[in-house]
Amino acid sequence: MRGTRTVLLAVALGAAFLLDAAPGRADDEVGLPAPITDSQFYEQGTFDPAKVELGRLLFFDKILSGNRNISCATCHHPLAATGDGLSLPVGEGGRGLAGARDTGRGRHAIVERVPRNAPALFNLGARQFRTMFHDGRVQKKGGEPSGFRSPAGADLPMGLDNVLAAQAMFPVTSATEMAGQTGENEIADAAAAGNLPLVWERLETRLRSIPVYVELFTDAFDEVSDAGDLRFVHAANAIAAFEAAAWRADNSPFDRYLRGETRAMSPAARRGMELFYGELGCASCHSGVFQTDHRFHAIAMPQIGPGKGDGVDGHEDHGRARVTGRRGHLLKFRTAPLRNVAITGPWGHAGAYDTLRAVVEHHFDPAGSLERYDPAQAMLPPRADLDRLDFVVHSNPGRRDRIARRSELRARPVKGLASKIDDLIEFLHALTDPASLDLREDIPEAVPSGLPIAD
């Protein structure tokens, strides 16, 4: 395992390019971030090997799903750059991996698509990532008993190592992602009742019944001496350690350039970097060493899929406003970090764009791009009943107009735009760490439950 890689979210290209704020200079490289260092990561980038290996096995083990038919890796697979290659994930009940995944068969088929794109997991072991999910619903927060604000409220247990571990507590509680539907299993029933502590308790019971896991937990955690000490918090901490250790991505051409290797980037990528930090103003939102301000912006991204239960019929997704209840946060989503962005499509909070060029072009004319959006580019395994819901919002002119009006970005003429986009895309490719292109060694041959790793 490569302990020098880590985790970064690279879903959609978030709000950046055409804000009205004056862009900074880049011709003299003012505004470039400092190089990434070990000190920016949990544990200085070095994790207990026993905890990392336990987390790796848990990440690929379907024992954590209600019906024992899906793992974390199904939607965040190394062969798909820690995503799944789909616009919207096919969660519990589907079959296959990445682009070959289908919606399942018969009574075990999925009920709906997962409403938001599965984000990539690169560099999330960096301390500055204090907020998780597209809407930021899990967040490091002082004053909370657990240290984190989350949908579990006061039910979120103590002892979580970091916000990445807190995030790992929640996919197992989602009916569409991992838990399953009411009546299918005891975990799904607890999730449907909103009893998240009972979900975690029942998963603990499963893990305690597997002797190999008990041994692995006792090796990884000093406070675990027997099966009775094992808590799902330990599982979440181990999964976070694996993600942080395995998927650190900070050796891209851009990283090497920041460290003084002036020839690490091509001339086109260098021009794109100057545009990114200069004329085009991308760094106004995609700021810092991971190219994100960790804030939330509305940029008129197309809304596809079943929605999150918002709007008159539940097919809308109000983004950050779902968490805060503030009208000013309506349709805002987190600025995506851009490390490895070229390999982590589709892009957008709902994965609406299937090419990097398309999502870049969107930022130069958000309202026009939304109006011209071609639904054919959405990567969605077909099924007639699901297909009928995929574009309910987008096909409605009034709803489309509201998305456009909420956008913080406005179209602005840019001389020589096409060639500048070419250079900008070259720079975005220069954010790819070559070590992230082949992650096969992260996949275990088997897991302690004995369940199959691949469908």
Side-chain angles (χ1 to χ4, degrees):
M1 173 149 348
R2 287 177 291 234
T4 58
R5 298 195 310 263
T6 326
V7 189
L8 169 156
L9 270 174
V11 183
L13 201 59
F17 291 148
L18 300 177
L19 292 175
D20 293 333
R25 290 173 54 85
D27 53 353
D28 57 358
E29 299 187 354
V30 171
L32 290 182
I36 296 172
T37 63
D38 289 347
S39 64
Q40 292 172 280
F41 292 86
Y42 300 127
E43 310 294 333
Q44 300 285 309
T46 302
F47 293 85
D48 178 0
K51 187 183 292 187
V52 171
E53 177 60 12
L54 170 59
R56 182 172 79 120
L57 296 173
L58 290 166
F59 191 86
F60 285 88
D61 203 331
K62 296 175 183 177
I63 195 68
L64 297 187
S65 64
N67 290 319
R68 297 176 172 85
N69 61 358
I70 191 171
S71 70
C72 305
T74 305
C75 295
H76 299 282
H77 204 279
L79 298 182
T82 73
D84 63 0
L86 300 174
S87 295
L88 299 172
V90 174
E92 196 281 329
R95 302 185 308 172
L97 291 173
R101 190 161 175 79
D102 64 30
T103 59
R105 294 289 185 272
R107 64 186 182 89
H108 297 296
I110 68 170
V111 172
E112 67 173 8
R113 306 187 198 278
V114 178
R116 292 178 182 157
N117 179 261
L121 302 180
F122 295 109
N123 288 331
L124 293 184
R127 297 177 187 276
Q128 69 175 254
F129 288 92
R130 300 168 60 89
T131 301
M132 295 288 152
F133 295 109
H134 291 292
D135 58 10
R137 63 186 179 274
V138 172
Q139 185 174 21
K140 184 174 177 61
K141 198 72 173 176
E144 298 289 335
S146 66
F148 307 96
R149 179 173 294 171
S150 79
D155 287 336
L156 190 67
M158 309 284 283
L160 290 160
D161 286 344
N162 48 57
V163 71
L164 184 55
Q167 182 276 334
M169 299 288 289
F170 290 95
V172 297
T173 69
S174 167
T176 54
E177 293 181 48
M178 296 183 72
Q181 304 301 312
T182 305
E184 291 182 339
N185 62 77
E186 74 284 0
I187 290 169
D189 292 342
N195 192 338
L196 302 191
L198 185 57
V199 171
W200 300 321
E201 179 183 323
R202 287 175 171 173
L203 288 170
E204 292 166 4
T205 299
R206 285 189 183 182
L207 293 172
R208 290 169 184 161
S209 71
I210 301 172
V212 173
Y213 267 132
V214 173
E215 182 178 352
L216 289 168
F217 274 95
T218 57
D219 288 344
F221 295 96
D222 292 339
E223 65 270 26
V224 179
S225 58
D226 56 39
D229 296 329
L230 193 163
R231 298 288 183 269
F232 194 73
V233 164
H234 296 117
N237 286 337
I239 290 171
F242 164 66
E243 293 173 335
W247 295 325
R248 175 171 168 177
D250 64 343
N251 197 35
S252 69
F254 178 60
D255 289 301
R256 297 197 299 275
Y257 179 85
L258 293 178
R259 292 169 185 145
E261 296 182 34
T262 57
R263 296 185 179 181
M265 292 198 300
S266 70
R270 173 72 179 269
R271 292 194 301 271
M273 177 187 72
E274 292 172 349
L275 290 166
F276 186 94
Y277 287 98
E279 176 186 351
L280 299 182
C282 310
S284 59
C285 291
H286 289 285
S287 57
V289 72
F290 296 109
Q291 289 83 35
T292 176
D293 61 3
H294 302 285
R295 296 180 180 177
F296 302 84
H297 299 280
I299 60 169
M301 278 288 178
Q303 177 59 53
I304 66 175
K308 290 286 287 184
D310 303 322
V312 295
D313 56 8
H315 295 310
E316 296 182 15
D317 183 348
H318 289 173
R320 181 62 172 165
R322 290 179 53 81
V323 178
T324 65
R326 298 178 183 175
R327 181 171 177 77
H329 291 166
L330 191 66
L331 303 179
K332 292 188 175 186
F333 296 88
R334 188 179 57 176
T335 303
L338 300 184
R339 297 312 184 92
N340 287 348
V341 66
I343 62 173
T344 53
W347 296 269
H349 72 272
Y353 287 108
D354 191 40
T355 69
L356 190 58
R357 177 171 289 274
V359 76
V360 169
E361 290 176 342
H362 176 92
H363 291 72
F364 290 93
D365 183 13
S369 178
L370 176 65
E371 193 64 27
R372 295 187 299 270
Y373 177 72
D374 180 6
Q377 65 187 295
M379 301 294 290
L380 300 168
R383 200 178 85 193
D385 59 327
L386 303 179
D387 298 345
R388 285 192 290 271
L389 300 178
D390 287 335
F391 303 102
V392 166
V393 172
H394 181 73
S395 62
N396 183 295
R399 292 180 173 187
R400 248 190 352 263
D401 181 64
R402 184 171 75 145
I403 293 173
R405 285 187 287 105
R406 298 293 302 186
S407 178
E408 301 169 33
L409 303 181
R410 296 293 180 264
R412 186 177 69 186
V414 178
K415 186 177 180 180
L417 179 59
S419 63
K420 289 177 179 178
I421 288 179
D422 289 340
D423 289 341
L424 188 58
I425 289 175
E426 285 298 312
F427 172 62
L428 296 179
H429 277 275
L431 298 176
T432 301
D433 186 333
S436 301
L437 297 175
D438 185 357
L439 303 176
R440 289 175 294 175
E441 69 180 50
D442 294 334
I443 306 170
E445 294 182 2
V447 290
S449 70
L451 293 167
I453 291 178
D455 292 280

